[in-house]
Amino acid sequence: KPYAANGVKLIVDDVMIKIEEVESQQISFLPTPTPTPIPTLSPTKAVFPSTSITYCEGIFPPGTDKILVDQKFEANTGGASGFGTLAEISWVDLGFSGKAIAMTYGGEPGHHLPAIRLDVPRKECLGPGTTLSVSFKAMLLNQTDLSGIECNLENNECPGARFRYRADPCNTWAYLPRGFTVWNSGEWNSYSSTHTISESCTTDWRWFLLDITMGKPYAANG
């Protein structure tokens, strides 16, 4: 189907990205300084203090969740890719207060679906084998009358997520497994899925982004 400018509106809120498991090697938070010998009773030995600490241990206290993104769009709209057009919204009549983010299509994007795009910070915590969980809530509305849009879960036509990251030799569009178990038209629907970074990646990240898409190129007015 052709893309239609401003036909269907995707609304997203409460985006969270969290580290679930890290199997990669530890990454130093601070470089290890030149050891300073500590005098001991033995004139032939020196004891060196341990000063090494991983980056994530330095910013996430032990026993706490390693949350990289907790975006409620109260002050930041993120960005768009592939001819998506973004706007902040605050619609009490849709059953929520505060702000959310809305995306409509603005033209033919090419191979990849248009998306709401968020940068993933604290890339120093990411490496080969790191498992990330992604959650958000979403609804699809008809741009003309704000009625709810149905989508087909079995055909993967509901909103979805992908990571776009590069750390040579990796240059990846990683589409996450299906994250909705049900879809209720015109209501908030909860998404939850995971992705594990390829073991072939390095940690020299050029970019690491999360994209949230409509799921398919909807025609005009749904």
Side-chain angles (χ1 to χ4, degrees), residues 26-190:
Q26 291 184 334
I27 305 168
S28 294
F29 172 50
L30 293 174
T32 302
T34 302
T36 302
I38 299 176
T40 66
L41 295 177
S42 172
T44 61
K45 294 182 179 180
V47 179
F48 300 96
S50 176
T51 56
S52 178
I53 182 173
T54 66
Y55 180 86
C56 288
E57 288 171 350
I59 60 176
F60 296 113
T64 62
D65 290 335
K66 295 180 174 66
I67 298 174
L68 304 180
V69 173
D70 187 9
Q71 179 60 271
K72 302 182 184 302
F73 301 105
E74 295 303 308
N76 189 338
T77 61
S81 72
F83 290 95
T85 301
L86 296 186
E88 282 187 352
I89 60 170
S90 182
W91 292 343
V92 176
D93 58 338
L94 289 179
F96 65 91
S97 59
K99 296 180 181 179
I101 197 75
M103 183 186 75
T104 55
Y105 290 151
E108 171 62 58
H111 181 64
H112 293 286
L113 290 170
I116 297 169
R117 172 163 283 184
L118 299 174
D119 180 62
V120 180
R122 295 172 176 167
K123 298 173 183 61
E124 296 89 339
C125 292
L126 305 176
T130 302
T131 296
L132 300 173
S133 65
V134 176
S135 61
F136 59 86
K137 61 183 183 180
M139 67 173 75
L140 292 171
L141 298 179
N142 186 306
Q143 175 75 0
T144 303
D145 59 10
L146 302 184
S147 59
I149 299 293
E150 295 285 354
C151 65
N152 190 319
L153 287 171
E154 296 301 319
N155 293 337
N156 292 321
E157 295 179 349
C158 295
R162 67 187 179 222
F163 281 116
R164 175 73 177 106
Y165 55 79
R166 182 168 183 176
D168 294 333
C170 290
N171 186 9
T172 303
W173 296 82
Y175 283 81
L176 276 64
R178 184 186 305 167
F180 294 106
T181 56
V182 296
W183 182 267
N184 296 308
S185 175
E187 300 179 11
W188 283 122
N189 296 275
S190 296

